[in-house]
Amino acid sequence: MFTTRPTLQGTFGMVSSTHWLASAAAMAVLEDGGNAFDAAVAAGFTLQVVEPHLNGPAGEVPIILAPADGPVRVLCGQGPAPAGASVGHYRSLGLSLVPGTGPLAAAVPGAFDAWLLLLRDHGTRSLADVLRFAIGYAEYGHPAVEQVGSTVETVRELFEKEWTSSAELYLPDGRAPQPGALLTNPALAATWRRLLREAEAAGSGREAQIEAARRTWREGFIAEALAAFAASPAMDTSGERHAGTLTGDDLAGFSAHYEEPATYTWNGWTVAKPGPWSQGPVFLQQLALLPEDLGSLDQADYVHTLVEGGKLAMADREAWYGDAAEVPLGALLSPSYNDARRALIGDQASYDLRPGSPDGRAPRLAEYVLQPQDPKEDAPGAGEPTVGSDGATRGDTCHLDVVDRWGNLVSATPSGGWLQSNPVVPGLGFPLGTRLQMASLTPGLPSTLTPGRRPRTTLSPSLALRGDRPVLAFGTPGGDQQDQWSLHFFLAAALRPLVRGGLDLQGAIDAPNWHTEGFPSSFHPRRSRPGSLFVESRFDPGTVERLRRRGHQVTVGGPWSEGRLCAVARDPETGVLSAGANPRGMQGYAAGR
């Protein structure tokens, strides 16, 4: 089939990320003798500089890693709600939803500590080695991608009137960053240089320096600046100025940690995902709902089946996923439960939100907003943040995957701390995040805002094994679309014949993609669009018409408007490595040899 690029193959190392400079930084680390984990950390910090509208140092990151000599693990870089972030506090402010922007939406930042824990435990390079790329791009500049400037333009009024520290960085002389113009962040470069000086003062040992840097983030000058700024009222999507709940004690008490992945085995593949504090098990539930004859379905039946299964899995996400209560994941993935759920998929599109009753438990749902689909206004494949003049945003994210010649694989989805999420903290060069917007103010749910508990996140990297041998790392930005687009990619790769002795990663990435929004969005103000289906114009017109006859409200978008996949793979029999990257948006790139 036609592909935009070849699937890269080699034996030394492979990288795929959502920005070419991050891929280049990771590849440079591999060329210098570093392993996949060193490379991933370098790419992660680089993404914070070159995609500031999609992630930042005070955001979050779930990471799935498969060391060549150890089991698959999840490294959780999702921080919890601060101690003062109770439902009662937000209700006392007259709020029915956590704001989509501003200090009240800030969870404890988790990304920085997760990257450093990955480097300490699985890397081989010093912190200075992996930070030098981010520091260089922040200090000397990088060519701005178009979406940075367009995002800034959308929140120009907010920056100029309210978030003036952000205007100083992103609207110098009143101009937003122009595509291709050099964008610098001297304050961020200075932050990392000071961090390195304090870390190196702790001694010459690699691990001692990493630990010193973690302490500086939690308890030193960075923590002091973050806590002070969180206590300063700032305008948010409620239309009022609020102070946040994040304190120095919250920062000092957080540590990223490892945990077992959630897994499901399908057709000889075992897919590993973060647990139900993320939306990761939605991918697994969709696998469990697949019919045995999936490979024989025509395109219209195939898309209809996956869309309707996705709606059922997302409905369960709304009722059962979160960190504030026990999640019956075993029951949600059980054969008997999914046999019954599969029977709900009929010939026509469902417009209902239908969570199930695992173990006989009655489902409950948080508040959400029904929004009829308007083809004139909808933006198919909305993956870049959609930002209102008040700062309301459906944030997006980044992704990276790395595999090295020793057989280490890693997949990570860094996000949060977007330039449009909170004002830039003066002297640091980056803002706080807004992940608490995904927590519910409805009491008694797994997703209820709860001090010390993680807000449910859409971030969802993936790692797949054949038998017990890791083979494939992949993922995508896209908020609620992540585990739709990722599933479509995975099935396309898993069901296709091998090419050149390996998976056709680029072909699966390039294949026409789609998504539905027939369930509550994870982002403020939590809208649902029953019956919606967004497809690329490369779909066969006859398929589109058959889907419409089944009741789907189909919006046909641009030919390359759906999906932002990255992927790397390793054949455990031959050691051949592969990589592919998303051509959509002209930004993602794979590199390797």
Side-chain angles (χ1 to χ4, degrees), residues 291 293-307 347 495 514 539-540 542-547 549-550:
D293 63 347
L294 180 70
S296 66
L297 301 179
D298 66 24
Q299 189 180 34
D301 287 341
Y302 181 85
V303 172
H304 172 79
T305 298
L306 293 183
V307 168
D347 292 333
L495 294 174
W514 67 94
F539 266 69
D540 174 67
T543 296
V544 172
E545 182 56 33
R546 288 194 294 275
L547 289 167
R549 288 201 298 266
R550 285 174 172 253

Side-chain angles (χ1 to χ4, degrees), residues 561-577:
S561 55
E562 294 278 338
R564 286 156 183 76
L565 269 299
C566 301
V568 300
R570 179 179 185 271
D571 185 328
E573 301 296 334
T574 65
V576 170
L577 312 178

Side-chain angles (χ1 to χ4, degrees), residues 62-155:
I63 303 169
I64 300 185
L65 56 147
D69 58 353
V72 176
R73 303 294 301 278
V74 170
L75 175 51
C76 176
Q78 174 59 64
S86 66
V87 170
H89 175 65
Y90 286 69
R91 293 288 189 183
S92 73
L93 298 173
L95 299 171
S96 59
L97 292 172
V98 177
T101 60
L104 271 179
V108 180
F112 179 87
D113 200 61
W115 287 125
L116 264 64
L117 203 63
L118 181 67
L119 183 67
R120 185 196 72 182
D121 295 344
H122 299 281
T124 64
R125 293 315 201 199
S126 71
L127 182 57
D129 287 338
V130 297
L131 263 180
R132 60 191 174 95
F133 305 95
I135 292 172
Y137 288 127
E139 187 165 21
Y140 302 111
H142 57 93
V145 295
E146 181 179 356
Q147 287 295 337
V148 174
S150 62
T151 301
V152 171
E153 283 293 352
T154 312
V155 290

Side-chain angles (χ1 to χ4, degrees), residues 36-52:
F37 309 114
D38 298 312
V41 177
F45 278 104
T46 300
L47 286 171
Q48 294 169 5
V49 178
V50 300
E51 293 190 324

